[in-house]
Structure formats: C-alpha cells, structure tokens
Amino acid sequence: MGRDQVLQLRATAEQRQLIDQAAAAEGTSRTEFMLRCCQERAREVLLDRTLFSLTPQQSEALLNDLQDPALAERDQASLERLLAAPRPWHAAP
C-alpha cells in the first residue's frame, strides 16, 4: 500500500536533532522513525481506553452489580455496545 497522506509538523532544532540521532541509531529514516513511534503511542493511548484492570475489591463490586437484575440488563446493553465497537488495533495500516 502506497503512502498517499501528508503529515506536517514544526519542531525546534533540538527536537529535530534528537529525532534524527535516534533514527540514525536505529538505522531508519526520520520519517520511518517518527511514523513508527507515533503509531506505537497511538496504539497505547487507544488500548489504555479499551483495556482496564480491577483490584479484587473492584472485581467483587462489579460481580455484585452484574448479579442485580435491574443493573444487569442495563450493563448487558452497554457491554454489547462495547464488544460490537471496532477495535482500534485492527484498523487497516
């Protein structure tokens, strides 16, 4: 797949030098380095908003809520919407 989108940004001389040094250390171009780093960070941000962990106390409270019939019906609809949403990490590159 060819690249057909242009991204532009402004940086200080120090920022550009740092990026160039890191890209050179990895043996990649500035563009490749920046795209890879940005994609990695974008995935982290999206996953952080998708995955969560609970303490034992939070898990117990959630399970109690799920056993309440009134809450369970509302929660089931919310869970179905969540599970039906497209996963950001499955997006086409």
Side-chain angles (χ1 to χ4, degrees):
M1 179 182 310
R3 293 184 181 163
D4 62 352
Q5 300 295 307
V6 175
L7 301 175
Q8 295 181 350
L9 59 94
R10 297 210 178 271
T12 66
E14 293 82 15
Q15 290 170 322
R16 181 176 171 164
Q17 182 181 11
L18 178 65
I19 292 167
D20 287 349
Q21 286 175 338
E26 288 191 349
T28 63
S29 69
R30 180 188 312 127
T31 298
E32 289 298 323
F33 180 82
M34 291 176 63
L35 282 174
R36 184 180 47 77
C37 290
C38 287
Q39 285 179 298
E40 288 173 5
R41 180 65 181 135
R43 285 187 186 99
E44 288 174 13
V45 167
L46 295 173
L47 285 171
D48 189 43
R49 284 157 176 77
T50 304
L51 301 176
F52 60 93
S53 61
L54 302 174
T55 66
Q57 295 82 9
Q58 292 169 324
S59 295
E60 185 176 339
L62 176 61
L63 291 174
N64 289 337
D65 286 350
L66 291 174
Q67 291 172 2
D68 181 329
L71 292 174
E73 187 175 323
R74 188 193 70 210
D75 291 344
Q76 182 64 34
S78 295
L79 286 171
E80 288 173 3
R81 281 193 307 276
L82 175 64
L83 294 174
R87 305 302 189 266
W89 54 89
H90 290 156

Coordinates of all heavy atoms in Angstrom, one line a residue:
M1 N 0.8 -1.2 0.0 CA 0.0 0.0 0.0 C 0.9 1.2 0.0 O 1.8 1.4 0.8 CB -0.9 0.0 1.2 CG -1.8 1.2 1.3 SD -2.8 1.2 2.8 CE -3.6 -0.4 2.8
G2 N 0.7 2.1 -0.9 CA 1.5 3.3 -1.0 C 1.0 4.4 -0.1 O -0.1 4.4 0.4
R3 N 1.9 5.2 0.3 CA 1.6 6.3 1.2 C 1.0 7.5 0.4 O 1.7 7.9 -0.6 CB 2.8 6.8 2.0 CG 3.3 5.7 2.9 CD 4.4 6.2 3.7 NE 4.9 5.2 4.6 CZ 6.1 5.2 5.2 NH1 6.9 6.2 5.0 NH2 6.5 4.2 6.0
D4 N -0.2 7.9 0.7 CA -0.8 9.0 0.0 C -1.2 10.2 0.9 O -1.9 11.1 0.4 CB -2.0 8.5 -0.8 CG -3.1 7.9 0.1 OD1 -2.8 7.8 1.3 OD2 -4.1 7.6 -0.5
Q5 N -0.9 10.1 2.1 CA -1.3 11.2 3.0 C 0.0 11.9 3.5 O 1.0 11.3 3.8 CB -2.0 10.6 4.3 CG -3.3 9.9 3.9 CD -4.3 10.8 3.3 OE1 -4.7 11.8 3.9 NE2 -4.8 10.4 2.1
V6 N -0.2 13.2 3.7 CA 1.0 14.1 4.1 C 0.7 14.5 5.6 O -0.4 15.0 5.9 CB 1.1 15.3 3.2 CG1 2.2 16.2 3.8 CG2 1.5 14.9 1.8
L7 N 1.7 14.4 6.4 CA 1.6 14.9 7.8 C 2.7 15.9 7.9 O 3.8 15.7 7.5 CB 1.8 13.8 8.8 CG 0.9 12.6 8.8 CD1 1.4 11.5 9.8 CD2 -0.5 13.0 9.1
Q8 N 2.3 17.1 8.5 CA 3.3 18.1 8.6 C 3.4 18.5 10.1 O 2.3 18.5 10.8 CB 3.0 19.3 7.8 CG 3.0 19.0 6.3 CD 2.7 20.3 5.5 OE1 2.3 21.3 6.0 NE2 2.9 20.2 4.2
L9 N 4.6 18.9 10.6 CA 4.7 19.4 11.9 C 5.9 20.3 12.0 O 6.8 20.3 11.2 CB 4.8 18.2 12.9 CG 5.9 17.2 12.7 CD1 7.1 17.7 13.6 CD2 5.5 15.9 13.1
R10 N 5.9 21.1 13.0 CA 7.0 22.0 13.3 C 7.7 21.5 14.5 O 7.1 21.1 15.5 CB 6.5 23.4 13.4 CG 5.9 24.0 12.1 CD 6.1 25.5 12.1 NE 5.5 26.0 10.8 CZ 6.2 26.1 9.7 NH1 7.4 25.7 9.6 NH2 5.6 26.5 8.6
A11 N 9.0 21.7 14.5 CA 9.8 21.2 15.7 C 10.9 22.2 15.9 O 11.3 22.9 15.0 CB 10.4 19.8 15.5
T12 N 11.5 22.2 17.1 CA 12.6 23.0 17.4 C 13.9 22.3 16.8 O 13.8 21.1 16.5 CB 12.9 23.2 18.9 OG1 13.2 21.9 19.5 CG2 11.6 23.8 19.6
A13 N 14.9 23.0 16.7 CA 16.2 22.4 16.2 C 16.6 21.3 17.1 O 17.1 20.2 16.6 CB 17.3 23.5 16.1
E14 N 16.4 21.5 18.4 CA 16.8 20.4 19.4 C 16.0 19.2 19.2 O 16.5 18.1 19.3 CB 16.7 21.0 20.8 CG 17.7 22.1 21.1 CD 17.3 23.5 20.6 OE1 16.1 23.7 20.3 OE2 18.1 24.4 20.6
Q15 N 14.7 19.4 19.0 CA 13.8 18.2 18.8 C 14.1 17.5 17.5 O 14.2 16.2 17.5 CB 12.3 18.7 18.7 CG 11.8 19.2 20.0 CD 10.4 19.9 19.9 OE1 10.2 20.6 18.9 NE2 9.6 19.7 20.9
R16 N 14.4 18.2 16.5 CA 14.8 17.5 15.2 C 16.1 16.8 15.4 O 16.2 15.7 14.9 CB 14.9 18.6 14.1 CG 15.2 17.9 12.8 CD 15.2 18.9 11.6 NE 15.7 18.2 10.4 CZ 15.6 18.7 9.2 NH1 14.9 19.8 9.0 NH2 16.1 18.1 8.2
Q17 N 17.0 17.4 16.0 CA 18.3 16.7 16.2 C 18.2 15.4 17.0 O 18.8 14.4 16.7 CB 19.3 17.7 16.9 CG 20.7 17.1 17.1 CD 21.6 18.0 17.8 OE1 21.2 19.1 18.4 NE2 22.9 17.7 17.8
L18 N 17.4 15.5 18.1 CA 17.1 14.3 18.9 C 16.5 13.2 18.1 O 16.9 12.0 18.1 CB 16.3 14.7 20.1 CG 15.9 13.5 21.0 CD1 17.1 13.0 21.7 CD2 14.8 14.0 22.0
I19 N 15.5 13.6 17.3 CA 14.8 12.6 16.5 C 15.8 12.0 15.4 O 15.8 10.8 15.2 CB 13.6 13.2 15.8 CG1 12.5 13.5 16.9 CG2 13.0 12.3 14.7 CD1 11.4 14.4 16.4
D20 N 16.5 12.9 14.8 CA 17.5 12.4 13.8 C 18.5 11.5 14.4 O 18.9 10.5 13.8 CB 18.2 13.6 13.1 CG 17.3 14.3 12.2 OD1 16.2 13.8 11.8 OD2 17.7 15.4 11.7
Q21 N 19.0 11.8 15.6 CA 20.0 10.9 16.3 C 19.4 9.5 16.6 O 20.0 8.5 16.4 CB 20.5 11.6 17.6 CG 21.5 12.7 17.3 CD 21.8 13.4 18.6 OE1 21.2 13.3 19.6 NE2 23.0 14.1 18.6
A22 N 18.2 9.5 17.1 CA 17.5 8.3 17.4 C 17.3 7.5 16.1 O 17.5 6.2 16.1 CB 16.2 8.5 18.1
A23 N 16.8 8.1 15.1 CA 16.6 7.4 13.8 C 17.9 6.8 13.3 O 17.9 5.7 12.8 CB 15.9 8.4 12.8
A24 N 18.9 7.6 13.3 CA 20.2 7.1 12.9 C 20.7 5.9 13.7 O 21.3 5.0 13.2 CB 21.3 8.2 12.9
A25 N 20.5 6.0 15.0 CA 20.9 4.9 15.9 C 20.2 3.6 15.5 O 20.7 2.5 15.7 CB 20.6 5.3 17.3
E26 N 18.9 3.7 15.0 CA 18.2 2.5 14.6 C 18.4 2.2 13.2 O 17.8 1.2 12.7 CB 16.7 2.8 14.9 CG 16.3 2.7 16.4 CD 14.8 2.7 16.6 OE1 14.0 2.9 15.6 OE2 14.4 2.4 17.7
G27 N 19.1 3.0 12.5 CA 19.3 2.8 11.0 C 18.1 3.0 10.2 O 17.9 2.3 9.2
T28 N 17.2 3.9 10.6 CA 16.0 4.2 9.8 C 16.0 5.7 9.5 O 16.7 6.5 10.0 CB 14.7 3.9 10.6 OG1 14.7 4.7 11.8 CG2 14.7 2.4 11.0
S29 N 15.1 6.0 8.6 CA 14.9 7.4 8.2 C 14.1 8.2 9.3 O 13.5 7.5 10.1 CB 14.2 7.5 6.9 OG 12.8 7.1 7.0
R30 N 14.2 9.5 9.3 CA 13.4 10.3 10.2 C 11.9 9.9 10.1 O 11.2 9.8 11.0 CB 13.7 11.7 10.0 CG 12.9 12.6 10.9 CD 13.0 14.1 10.5 NE 14.4 14.6 10.3 CZ 14.7 15.2 9.2 NH1 13.9 15.5 8.2 NH2 16.0 15.6 9.0
T31 N 11.5 9.9 8.8 CA 10.1 9.6 8.6 C 9.7 8.2 9.1 O 8.6 8.1 9.8 CB 9.8 9.6 7.1 OG1 10.1 10.9 6.6 CG2 8.3 9.3 6.8
E32 N 10.4 7.2 8.9 CA 10.1 5.9 9.4 C 10.1 5.9 10.9 O 9.2 5.3 11.5 CB 11.1 4.8 8.8 CG 11.0 4.5 7.4 CD 9.6 3.9 7.0 OE1 9.0 3.1 7.8 OE2 9.1 4.3 6.0
F33 N 11.1 6.5 11.5 CA 11.2 6.5 12.9 C 10.0 7.2 13.5 O 9.4 6.7 14.5 CB 12.5 7.3 13.3 CG 12.7 7.4 14.8 CD1 13.2 6.3 15.5 CD2 12.3 8.5 15.5 CE1 13.4 6.4 16.9 CE2 12.5 8.6 16.9 CZ 13.0 7.5 17.6
M34 N 9.6 8.4 13.0 CA 8.5 9.2 13.5 C 7.2 8.4 13.4 O 6.4 8.4 14.3 CB 8.5 10.6 12.9 CG 9.7 11.4 13.4 SD 9.7 13.0 12.5 CE 8.2 13.8 13.1
L35 N 7.0 7.9 12.2 CA 5.7 7.1 12.0 C 5.6 5.9 12.9 O 4.5 5.7 13.5 CB 5.6 6.7 10.5 CG 5.2 7.7 9.5 CD1 5.3 7.2 8.1 CD2 3.8 8.2 9.8
R36 N 6.7 5.2 13.1 CA 6.6 4.0 14.0 C 6.4 4.5 15.4 O 5.5 3.9 16.1 CB 7.9 3.2 13.9 CG 7.9 2.0 14.7 CD 9.2 1.2 14.7 NE 10.4 2.0 14.8 CZ 10.8 2.5 16.0 NH1 10.2 2.2 17.1 NH2 11.9 3.2 16.0
C37 N 7.1 5.5 15.9 CA 6.9 6.0 17.2 C 5.5 6.5 17.4 O 4.8 6.2 18.5 CB 7.9 7.0 17.6 SG 9.6 6.4 17.7
C38 N 5.0 7.2 16.5 CA 3.6 7.8 16.6 C 2.6 6.7 16.6 O 1.6 6.7 17.4 CB 3.3 8.8 15.5 SG 4.2 10.3 15.7
Q39 N 2.7 5.7 15.7 CA 1.8 4.5 15.7 C 1.8 3.8 17.0 O 0.8 3.4 17.5 CB 2.1 3.6 14.6 CG 1.7 4.1 13.2 CD 2.1 3.2 12.1 OE1 3.3 2.9 11.9 NE2 1.1 2.7 11.4
E40 N 3.0 3.5 17.6 CA 3.1 2.8 18.8 C 2.4 3.6 19.9 O 1.6 3.0 20.7 CB 4.6 2.6 19.2 CG 5.3 1.6 18.4 CD 6.8 1.5 18.6 OE1 7.3 2.2 19.6 OE2 7.5 0.7 17.9
R41 N 2.6 4.9 20.0 CA 2.0 5.7 21.0 C 0.5 5.7 20.8 O -0.3 5.7 21.8 CB 2.6 7.1 21.0 CG 2.0 8.0 22.1 CD 2.3 7.5 23.5 NE 1.6 8.4 24.4 CZ 0.9 8.0 25.5 NH1 0.8 6.8 25.8 NH2 0.4 8.9 26.3
A42 N 0.0 5.9 19.6 CA -1.4 5.9 19.3 C -2.1 4.6 19.7 O -3.1 4.6 20.3 CB -1.6 6.1 17.8
R43 N -1.4 3.5 19.5 CA -2.0 2.2 20.0 C -2.1 2.1 21.5 O -3.1 1.7 22.1 CB -1.2 1.0 19.4 CG -1.4 0.7 18.0 CD -0.7 -0.5 17.5 NE -0.8 -0.7 16.1 CZ 0.2 -0.4 15.2 NH1 1.3 0.1 15.7 NH2 0.0 -0.5 13.9
E44 N -1.0 2.6 22.1 CA -1.0 2.7 23.6 C -2.2 3.5 24.1 O -2.9 3.1 25.1 CB 0.3 3.3 24.1 CG 1.5 2.4 24.0 CD 2.8 3.1 24.4 OE1 2.7 4.2 25.0 OE2 3.9 2.6 24.1
V45 N -2.4 4.7 23.6 CA -3.5 5.5 24.0 C -4.8 4.9 23.8 O -5.7 4.9 24.7 CB -3.4 6.9 23.3 CG1 -4.7 7.7 23.4 CG2 -2.2 7.7 23.7
L46 N -5.0 4.3 22.6 CA -6.3 3.6 22.4 C -6.5 2.4 23.2 O -7.6 2.1 23.8 CB -6.4 3.3 20.9 CG -6.4 4.5 20.0 CD1 -6.4 4.0 18.5 CD2 -7.7 5.3 20.2
L47 N -5.5 1.6 23.4 CA -5.6 0.4 24.3 C -5.9 0.8 25.8 O -6.6 0.2 26.5 CB -4.3 -0.4 24.2 CG -4.2 -1.3 23.0 CD1 -2.8 -1.9 22.9 CD2 -5.3 -2.3 22.9
D48 N -5.2 1.9 26.2 CA -5.4 2.4 27.5 C -6.9 2.8 27.8 O -7.4 2.7 28.9 CB -4.5 3.6 27.8 CG -4.5 4.0 29.3 OD1 -4.5 3.1 30.1 OD2 -4.6 5.2 29.5
R49 N -7.6 3.1 26.7 CA -9.0 3.5 26.8 C -9.9 2.3 26.5 O -11.1 2.4 26.6 CB -9.3 4.6 25.9 CG -8.8 5.9 26.5 CD -8.6 7.0 25.4 NE -8.2 8.3 25.9 CZ -6.9 8.5 26.4 NH1 -6.0 7.6 26.4 NH2 -6.6 9.7 26.8
T50 N -9.3 1.2 26.2 CA -10.1 0.0 25.9 C -9.9 -1.1 27.0 O -10.9 -1.8 27.3 CB -9.6 -0.6 24.5 OG1 -9.8 0.5 23.6 CG2 -10.5 -1.7 24.1
L51 N -8.7 -1.3 27.4 CA -8.4 -2.3 28.4 C -8.4 -1.7 29.8 O -7.9 -0.6 30.0 CB -7.1 -3.0 28.1 CG -7.0 -3.7 26.7 CD1 -5.6 -4.2 26.5 CD2 -8.0 -4.8 26.6
F52 N -8.8 -2.5 30.8 CA -8.7 -2.0 32.1 C -8.5 -3.2 33.1 O -8.8 -4.3 32.7 CB -10.0 -1.2 32.5 CG -11.2 -2.0 32.5 CD1 -11.7 -2.7 33.6 CD2 -11.9 -2.1 31.3 CE1 -12.9 -3.5 33.5 CE2 -13.1 -2.9 31.2 CZ -13.6 -3.6 32.3
S53 N -8.0 -2.9 34.2 CA -7.8 -3.9 35.2 C -8.5 -3.5 36.5 O -8.6 -2.3 36.8 CB -6.3 -4.2 35.4 OG -5.7 -3.1 35.9
L54 N -8.9 -4.5 37.3 CA -9.6 -4.2 38.5 C -8.9 -4.8 39.7 O -8.2 -5.8 39.6 CB -11.0 -4.8 38.5 CG -11.9 -4.3 37.3 CD1 -13.2 -5.1 37.3 CD2 -12.2 -2.8 37.4
T55 N -9.0 -4.1 40.8 CA -8.5 -4.7 42.1 C -9.4 -5.8 42.5 O -10.6 -5.8 42.0 CB -8.4 -3.6 43.2 OG1 -9.7 -3.2 43.5 CG2 -7.5 -2.4 42.8
P56 N -9.1 -6.6 43.4 CA -10.0 -7.6 43.9 C -11.3 -7.0 44.5 O -12.4 -7.5 44.2 CB -9.2 -8.3 45.0 CG -7.8 -8.2 44.6 CD -7.7 -6.8 44.0
Q57 N -11.2 -5.9 45.1 CA -12.4 -5.2 45.7 C -13.3 -4.7 44.5 O -14.5 -4.8 44.6 CB -12.0 -4.0 46.6 CG -11.3 -4.5 47.9 CD -9.8 -4.7 47.6 OE1 -9.2 -4.4 46.6 NE2 -9.2 -5.3 48.7
Q58 N -12.7 -4.1 43.5 CA -13.4 -3.6 42.4 C -14.1 -4.8 41.6 O -15.2 -4.7 41.1 CB -12.5 -2.8 41.4 CG -12.1 -1.5 42.0 CD -11.0 -0.9 41.2 OE1 -10.1 -1.6 40.6 NE2 -11.0 0.4 41.1
S59 N -13.4 -5.9 41.5 CA -13.9 -7.1 40.8 C -15.2 -7.6 41.6 O -16.2 -7.9 41.0 CB -12.9 -8.2 40.7 OG -11.8 -7.8 39.9
E60 N -15.1 -7.6 42.9 CA -16.2 -8.1 43.7 C -17.4 -7.1 43.5 O -18.5 -7.6 43.4 CB -15.8 -8.2 45.2 CG -16.9 -8.8 46.0 CD -16.4 -8.9 47.5 OE1 -15.2 -9.0 47.7 OE2 -17.3 -9.0 48.3
A61 N -17.2 -5.8 43.5 CA -18.2 -4.9 43.4 C -18.9 -5.0 42.0 O -20.1 -5.0 41.9 CB -17.7 -3.5 43.6
L62 N -18.1 -5.2 41.0 CA -18.6 -5.4 39.6 C -19.5 -6.7 39.5 O -20.6 -6.7 39.0 CB -17.5 -5.5 38.6 CG -17.9 -5.8 37.2 CD1 -18.8 -4.7 36.6 CD2 -16.7 -6.0 36.3
L63 N -19.0 -7.8 40.1 CA -19.7 -9.0 40.1 C -21.0 -8.9 40.8 O -22.1 -9.4 40.4 CB -18.9 -10.2 40.6 CG -17.7 -10.6 39.8 CD1 -16.9 -11.6 40.5 CD2 -18.2 -11.1 38.4
N64 N -21.0 -8.1 41.9 CA -22.3 -7.9 42.7 C -23.3 -7.1 41.8 O -24.5 -7.4 41.8 CB -22.0 -7.2 44.0 CG -21.3 -8.1 45.0 OD1 -21.4 -9.3 44.9 ND2 -20.6 -7.5 46.0
D65 N -22.7 -6.1 41.2 CA -23.6 -5.2 40.3 C -24.2 -6.1 39.2 O -25.4 -5.9 38.8 CB -22.8 -4.1 39.7 CG -22.6 -3.0 40.7 OD1 -23.1 -3.0 41.8 OD2 -21.8 -2.1 40.4
L66 N -23.4 -7.0 38.6 CA -23.9 -7.8 37.5 C -24.9 -8.8 37.9 O -25.7 -9.2 37.1 CB -22.7 -8.5 36.8 CG -21.7 -7.7 36.1 CD1 -20.5 -8.5 35.6 CD2 -22.4 -6.9 34.9
Q67 N -25.0 -9.1 39.2 CA -26.0 -10.0 39.7 C -27.3 -9.4 40.0 O -28.3 -10.0 40.3 CB -25.4 -10.8 40.9 CG -24.3 -11.7 40.5 CD -23.6 -12.4 41.7 OE1 -24.0 -12.1 42.9 NE2 -22.6 -13.2 41.5
D68 N -27.3 -8.0 40.1 CA -28.5 -7.3 40.3 C -29.3 -7.2 39.0 O -28.8 -6.7 38.0 CB -28.2 -5.9 40.8 CG -29.4 -5.0 41.1 OD1 -30.4 -5.2 40.4 OD2 -29.3 -4.1 41.9
P69 N -30.5 -7.8 38.9 CA -31.3 -7.9 37.7 C -31.5 -6.6 37.0 O -31.3 -6.5 35.8 CB -32.6 -8.6 38.0 CG -32.3 -9.3 39.3 CD -31.2 -8.5 40.0
A70 N -31.8 -5.5 37.7 CA -32.0 -4.2 37.1 C -30.7 -3.7 36.5 O -30.7 -3.1 35.4 CB -32.6 -3.3 38.2
L71 N -29.6 -3.8 37.2 CA -28.4 -3.3 36.7 C -27.8 -4.2 35.6 O -27.2 -3.7 34.6 CB -27.3 -3.2 37.8 CG -27.6 -2.2 38.9 CD1 -26.6 -2.3 40.0 CD2 -27.6 -0.8 38.3
A72 N -28.1 -5.5 35.7 CA -27.6 -6.5 34.7 C -28.1 -6.2 33.3 O -27.4 -6.2 32.3 CB -27.9 -7.9 35.1
E73 N -29.4 -5.8 33.2 CA -30.0 -5.5 31.9 C -29.4 -4.3 31.3 O -29.0 -4.3 30.1 CB -31.5 -5.3 32.1 CG -32.2 -5.2 30.8 CD -33.7 -5.1 31.0 OE1 -34.3 -5.7 31.9 OE2 -34.3 -4.3 30.2
R74 N -29.2 -3.2 32.1 CA -28.5 -2.0 31.6 C -27.1 -2.3 31.2 O -26.6 -1.9 30.2 CB -28.6 -0.9 32.6 CG -28.1 0.4 32.1 CD -27.9 1.4 33.2 NE -26.8 1.0 33.9 CZ -26.6 1.2 35.2 NH1 -27.5 1.9 35.9 NH2 -25.5 0.8 35.8
D75 N -26.4 -3.0 32.1 CA -25.0 -3.3 31.9 C -24.8 -4.2 30.6 O -23.8 -4.1 29.9 CB -24.4 -4.0 33.1 CG -24.2 -3.0 34.3 OD1 -24.3 -1.8 34.0 OD2 -24.0 -3.5 35.4
Q76 N -25.7 -5.2 30.4 CA -25.6 -6.0 29.3 C -25.7 -5.2 28.0 O -24.9 -5.5 27.0 CB -26.8 -7.1 29.3 CG -26.7 -8.1 28.1 CD -25.5 -8.9 28.1 OE1 -25.0 -9.3 29.2 NE2 -25.0 -9.3 27.0
A77 N -26.6 -4.3 27.9 CA -26.7 -3.4 26.7 C -25.4 -2.6 26.5 O -24.9 -2.5 25.4 CB -27.8 -2.5 26.8
S78 N -24.8 -2.1 27.6 CA -23.5 -1.4 27.5 C -22.4 -2.3 27.0 O -21.6 -1.9 26.2 CB -23.2 -0.8 28.8 OG -24.1 0.2 29.2
L79 N -22.4 -3.5 27.6 CA -21.3 -4.5 27.2 C -21.4 -4.9 25.7 O -20.5 -5.0 25.0 CB -21.4 -5.7 28.1 CG -20.9 -5.5 29.5 CD1 -21.2 -6.8 30.3 CD2 -19.4 -5.3 29.5
E80 N -22.7 -5.1 25.3 CA -22.9 -5.4 23.9 C -22.4 -4.3 22.9 O -21.8 -4.6 21.9 CB -24.3 -5.7 23.6 CG -24.8 -7.1 24.2 CD -26.3 -7.3 24.1 OE1 -27.0 -6.5 23.6 OE2 -26.7 -8.4 24.6
R81 N -22.7 -3.1 23.3 CA -22.2 -1.9 22.5 C -20.6 -1.9 22.5 O -20.0 -1.7 21.5 CB -22.7 -0.6 23.0 CG -24.1 -0.3 22.6 CD -24.6 1.1 22.9 NE -24.3 1.6 24.3 CZ -25.1 1.4 25.3 NH1 -26.3 0.7 25.1 NH2 -24.8 1.8 26.5
L82 N -20.1 -2.1 23.7 CA -18.6 -2.1 23.8 C -18.0 -3.2 22.9 O -17.0 -3.0 22.2 CB -18.2 -2.3 25.2 CG -16.7 -2.4 25.5 CD1 -15.9 -1.1 25.1 CD2 -16.4 -2.7 27.0
L83 N -18.5 -4.4 23.0 CA -18.0 -5.5 22.3 C -18.2 -5.4 20.8 O -17.4 -6.0 20.0 CB -18.5 -6.8 22.8 CG -18.1 -7.2 24.3 CD1 -18.8 -8.4 24.8 CD2 -16.6 -7.3 24.4
A84 N -19.2 -4.7 20.4 CA -19.5 -4.5 19.0 C -18.7 -3.4 18.3 O -18.5 -3.3 17.1 CB -21.0 -4.2 18.8
A85 N -18.1 -2.6 19.1 CA -17.3 -1.5 18.6 C -16.0 -2.0 17.9 O -15.4 -3.0 18.4 CB -16.9 -0.5 19.8
P86 N -15.6 -1.4 16.8 CA -14.4 -1.8 16.2 C -13.2 -1.6 17.1 O -13.1 -0.6 17.8 CB -14.3 -1.0 14.9 CG -15.2 0.2 15.1 CD -16.2 -0.3 16.2
R87 N -12.3 -2.6 17.0 CA -11.0 -2.5 17.8 C -10.0 -1.6 17.1 O -9.7 -1.9 15.9 CB -10.4 -3.9 18.1 CG -11.4 -4.9 18.7 CD -11.9 -4.4 20.0 NE -12.7 -5.4 20.8 CZ -14.0 -5.5 20.7 NH1 -14.7 -4.8 19.9 NH2 -14.6 -6.5 21.4
P88 N -9.5 -0.6 17.7 CA -8.5 0.3 17.1 C -7.3 -0.4 16.5 O -6.8 0.0 15.5 CB -8.2 1.3 18.2 CG -9.2 1.2 19.2 CD -9.7 -0.2 19.1
W89 N -6.9 -1.4 17.2 CA -5.6 -2.1 16.8 C -5.9 -3.0 15.6 O -5.0 -3.5 15.0 CB -5.0 -2.9 17.9 CG -5.9 -3.8 18.6 CD1 -6.1 -5.1 18.3 CD2 -6.8 -3.6 19.7 NE1 -7.1 -5.7 19.1 CE2 -7.5 -4.7 20.0 CE3 -7.0 -2.4 20.5 CZ2 -8.4 -4.8 21.0 CZ3 -7.9 -2.5 21.5 CH2 -8.6 -3.7 21.8
H90 N -7.2 -3.2 15.2 CA -7.5 -4.0 14.0 C -7.7 -3.1 12.8 O -8.0 -3.6 11.7 CB -8.8 -4.8 14.2 CG -8.6 -5.9 15.2 ND1 -9.6 -6.5 15.9 CD2 -7.5 -6.6 15.6 CE1 -9.2 -7.4 16.7 NE2 -7.9 -7.5 16.5
A91 N -7.5 -1.8 12.9 CA -7.7 -0.9 11.8 C -6.6 -1.1 10.7 O -5.5 -1.6 11.0 CB -7.6 0.6 12.3
A92 N -7.0 -0.9 9.5 CA -6.1 -1.1 8.4 C -4.9 -0.2 8.6 O -5.0 1.0 9.0 CB -6.8 -0.8 7.1
P93 N -3.7 -0.6 8.3 CA -2.5 0.2 8.4 C -2.5 1.4 7.5 O -3.1 1.4 6.5 CB -1.3 -0.7 8.1 CG -1.9 -1.9 7.5 CD -3.4 -1.9 7.8

